[in-house]
Amino acid sequence: MIFERGVAALKLAAEMLEMGVVMGWSQCLPYCAGTLTPYVMGTRINAVEGLRAATVFSAGRLAVYVAFGILAGSAPAFMPRILRPGLGTFWLQAAAGLLLLFLALTVLFNKHKDSGVCRWIIRRDLPAMFLLGMLIAVPPYHDLVAPTSLLVQSTSPITGLLGGLAYGIGTTLSPVILIAMGVPLLTGRFKTAGWFWWVQRAGGAGLLILAVRAFWALKIPAL
């Protein structure tokens, strides 16, 4: 029995890893790259800093997938309530919009280098990116493929955990990290040429557009 459960858990992990790679190169790519690119453009000047931002962002998403897996394996009856559109997803999307707005304003007004709260949140890397990764990983931003698959196939919290972890790792195996590392190399060149001020404004404007888009897409659920 234990051997069979172990085989089933590994099989689910392999399927979720494959699914994560596919989603990381397709549906997840525009959301994640579209969010990270303006951020690293306006705040990072080398590949290491870009890698750090992408890693923390991906860790936030990974945490959500693992939580989905554990919940699917331990309390499957509760999962549909979480995935169903409603007031909860409304507030999650609103929180993502507010966070994007905060990031946009700190970059636009060059406050990410200041001391105090702004420096702790933006420059010292990066509770905001971790939180944003978590918010983007859940509905309505993310698809329901992974949570649904975990709900159907998870037979225990351990099985669900392995499945969610494998899916999260799979989604990180995409061009997002390379993009996050490559963009600061370009902005670093602009900085040496005295044009980094304009690059920062462009990055902040990109984040502001994402924030406006998030608020525009809000739909107040019926009570």
Side-chain angles (χ1 to χ4, degrees):
M1 181 66 70
I2 297 178
F3 177 76
E4 293 178 353
R5 289 182 178 179
V7 171
L10 292 176
K11 181 180 178 182
L12 174 60
E15 292 177 357
M16 296 303 295
L17 177 64
E18 181 181 0
M19 185 185 303
V21 172
V22 172
M23 295 302 295
W25 281 79
S26 56
Q27 188 167 340
C28 296
L29 181 58
Y31 285 105
C32 298
T35 302
L36 274 175
T37 299
Y39 175 75
V40 297
M41 181 189 300
T43 61
R44 302 299 186 249
I45 57 173
N46 59 57
V48 174
E49 292 184 352
L51 175 62
R52 187 182 302 130
T55 301
V56 175
F57 179 81
S58 299
R61 295 166 57 217
L62 182 62
V64 171
Y65 300 140
V66 170
F68 271 146
I70 295 174
L71 189 59
S74 57
F78 192 67
M79 281 285 284
R81 300 180 184 180
I82 297 178
L83 301 179
R84 183 176 59 204
L87 193 59
T89 55
F90 169 83
W91 286 114
L92 286 172
Q93 190 172 3
L98 288 172
L99 186 54
L100 285 166
L101 179 61
F102 175 77
L103 291 171
L105 293 177
T106 54
V107 174
L108 280 171
F109 294 99
N110 202 27
K111 294 297 184 180
H112 61 283
K113 294 182 179 179
D114 289 355
S115 60
V117 176
C118 286
R119 184 178 178 85
W120 181 79
I121 291 180
I122 303 299
R123 198 67 183 176
R124 294 199 184 265
D125 258 338
L126 305 128
M129 279 288 100
F130 185 87
L131 179 58
L132 188 60
M134 293 182 65
L135 292 171
I136 285 182
V138 298
Y141 281 102
H142 194 61
D143 64 282
L144 300 181
V145 174
T148 303
S149 298
L150 290 169
L151 177 61
V152 172
Q153 301 183 59
S154 298
T155 57
S156 69
I158 298 299
T159 302
L161 185 152
L162 291 175
L165 181 64
Y167 181 82
I169 293 174
T171 59
T172 63
L173 302 177
S174 72
V176 171
I177 291 181
L178 294 178
I179 293 173
M181 294 176 64
V183 170
L185 295 178
L186 297 176
T187 59
R189 291 179 178 273
F190 279 112
K191 182 176 182 179
T192 59
W195 287 87
F196 191 61
W197 187 92
W198 294 101
V199 175
Q200 283 186 315
R201 304 291 84 73
L207 290 168
L208 184 60
I209 292 172
L210 291 175
V212 172
R213 180 182 177 184
F215 289 125
W216 186 266
L218 282 176
K219 295 181 180 180
I220 301 177
L223 300 178

